[in-house]
Amino acid sequence: MLDHDSGAGSGGGAKIGPNALLQLVPVLDRVGGTELRGHLFASGGVFELPDGSAMIDEMPVARVHQAMRRELADLAPALAWAAGKRTGDYILVNRIPRAAQYLLHLLPARLAVPMLTRAIARHAWTFAGSGRFSVKGGAMPVFEIADNPMVRGEFGAHPVCHWHAAVFERLFTRLIDPAFRCEETACCAAGAPACRFEMRLIAPAP
């Protein structure tokens, strides 16, 4: 269902999709301009933007996200969420064929949810990097990334993987039902064995 990124897994180190980095660019520029973005990217060892045509080293990407959480603690959740939504939109435009999107819109949720879940699992290398991705749950899927490289070595009291949660939520709300929500209920950075993302349907307003 999802098209592959070219160059996936090539090179020496573990790779992640370039949108984990590229979709931060307009978000950070809007908040603090190119100076802020340049500072945070340099903190992660990123001095040149990828062209988006191939997978990229996961380590600098993780360092950029961690630098953002460290230096912009109050803003980081919203910034990561905005970048995750943009990543979901990129996937919708460039990676999921129109025919597949149309089919998911037509199908009842009980059929569409497992189809989208399987597609996400098949392409986990684009967002999980060297982490170990798995799917649990039944009608409402639960995604887990053990040893998530995006928070590796990071410690905190609360879940911090807002980028991942936003990507999952964007795909489900756009392709199946706007009432879907994704919540990270456990995080490697908070001491859990895996980052856990639970999909839920919110009740309509009375």
Side-chain angles (χ1 to χ4, degrees):
M1 180 181 294
L2 289 104
D3 293 337
H4 287 266
D5 282 295
S6 60
S10 62
K15 306 289 184 178
I16 198 167
N19 281 287
L21 185 68
L22 290 175
Q23 298 305 330
L24 277 175
V25 172
V27 173
L28 291 172
D29 286 358
R30 186 166 59 247
V31 171
T34 57
E35 183 176 354
L36 172 65
R37 186 243 299 173
H39 167 68
L40 292 177
F41 277 37
S43 296
V46 177
F47 301 97
E48 183 176 350
L49 291 179
D51 63 11
S53 65
M55 301 285 280
I56 59 177
D57 188 347
E58 69 179 22
M59 292 180 62
V61 178
R63 290 195 295 262
V64 168
H65 278 258
Q66 292 179 11
M68 180 177 71
R69 289 192 285 267
R70 184 175 60 250
E71 300 193 30
L72 302 173
D74 293 338
L75 294 176
L79 297 176
W81 192 272
K85 286 174 64 177
R86 290 181 58 90
T87 302
D89 288 339
Y90 176 90
I91 293 170
L92 290 168
V93 171
N94 297 281
R95 296 293 179 228
I96 303 181
R98 291 290 181 90
Q101 295 191 39
Y102 182 68
L103 178 61
L104 287 172
H105 283 301
L106 288 180
L107 289 173
R110 63 183 178 83
L111 298 178
V113 167
M115 284 183 64
L116 180 55
T117 298
R118 286 193 297 269
I120 289 171
R122 284 197 301 270
H123 294 78
W125 41 266
T126 62
F127 57 82
S130 61
R132 299 184 302 279
F133 180 82
S134 61
V135 179
K136 304 186 185 327
M140 291 293 104
V142 176
F143 303 119
E144 290 191 354
I145 305 175
D147 191 25
N148 186 352
M150 295 289 278
V151 296
R152 195 173 289 151
E154 190 172 1
F155 302 97
H158 308 287
V160 296
C161 302
H162 304 285
W163 178 79
H164 282 97
V167 174
F168 296 141
E169 184 174 299
R170 193 65 158 181
L171 294 177
F172 274 79
T173 55
R174 286 297 182 90
L175 293 172
I176 301 178
D177 191 322
F180 267 106
R181 295 294 180 269
C182 181
E183 180 184 2
E184 187 185 15
T185 58
C187 186
C188 295
C195 298
R196 181 180 176 91
F197 304 91
E198 300 187 15
M199 299 302 308
R200 297 172 180 157
L201 276 170
I202 60 173

